Amino acid sequence: MLITDDDTLVAQDEIGLSEPAFRRFAQAAGTLVTVRPAAPPESLEAVRAKIHGRTLSQAEIGAIITDLAHYRYSDMEIAAFLIGTASFITNPNFCKFEYFCEGPSTQRWRVLPVGQHSA
């Protein structure tokens, strides 16, 4: 999100979106909207637990990946997830995430435990 007070970009009663955000919005330019802060995704509790050093279950990791794939995390929340995951590996194995796209709007993630020396 970029907040600006430059009236040459958008009027006071307008919202400007990046091109990727506008495509996800999938509405015509000029559409009236109501804006409110997004509720944090429920899986963010698992991210907090990981930051505190807890090993996450496969279900928790799956919930995080699903929320990431559906754009439910802010940039700050994504950074917290990446830092928490990279900083607190709790055993000799780590999780490898494989992404599979089954169709234009369906995304599925598979979580596999992989040894440290795996490709």
Side-chain angles (χ1 to χ4, degrees):
M1 173 194 261
L2 173 66
I3 299 175
T4 181
D5 61 357
D6 185 346
D7 291 338
T8 63
L9 294 174
V10 293
Q12 290 185 0
D13 63 343
E14 295 177 326
I15 297 172
L17 299 175
S18 66
E19 288 183 22
F22 187 74
R23 284 192 297 274
R24 285 195 306 268
F25 177 59
Q27 298 293 319
T31 299
L32 294 176
V33 297
T34 300
V35 178
R36 64 182 176 275
E42 288 184 25
S43 66
L44 194 56
E45 285 301 316
V47 171
R48 289 186 185 104
K50 184 65 180 168
I51 289 170
H52 292 290
R54 186 165 66 77
T55 300
L56 301 182
S57 69
Q58 188 167 351
E60 289 170 315
I61 293 170
I64 292 168
I65 297 303
T66 297
D67 285 341
L68 286 167
H70 288 97
Y71 306 102
R72 296 179 186 138
Y73 273 45
S74 69
D75 289 347
M76 181 90 56
E77 292 162 342
I78 293 170
F81 168 67
L82 294 173
I83 291 167
T85 301
S87 299
F88 298 100
I89 296 175
T90 53
N91 59 49
N93 294 335
F94 61 94
C95 289
K96 178 179 178 185
F97 302 101
E98 289 190 17
Y99 171 76
F100 296 91
C101 185
E102 296 178 348
S105 64
T106 302
Q107 297 176 349
R108 182 171 60 101
W109 292 79
R110 184 170 47 155
V111 179
L112 302 172
V114 179
Q116 287 182 332
H117 302 289
S118 297

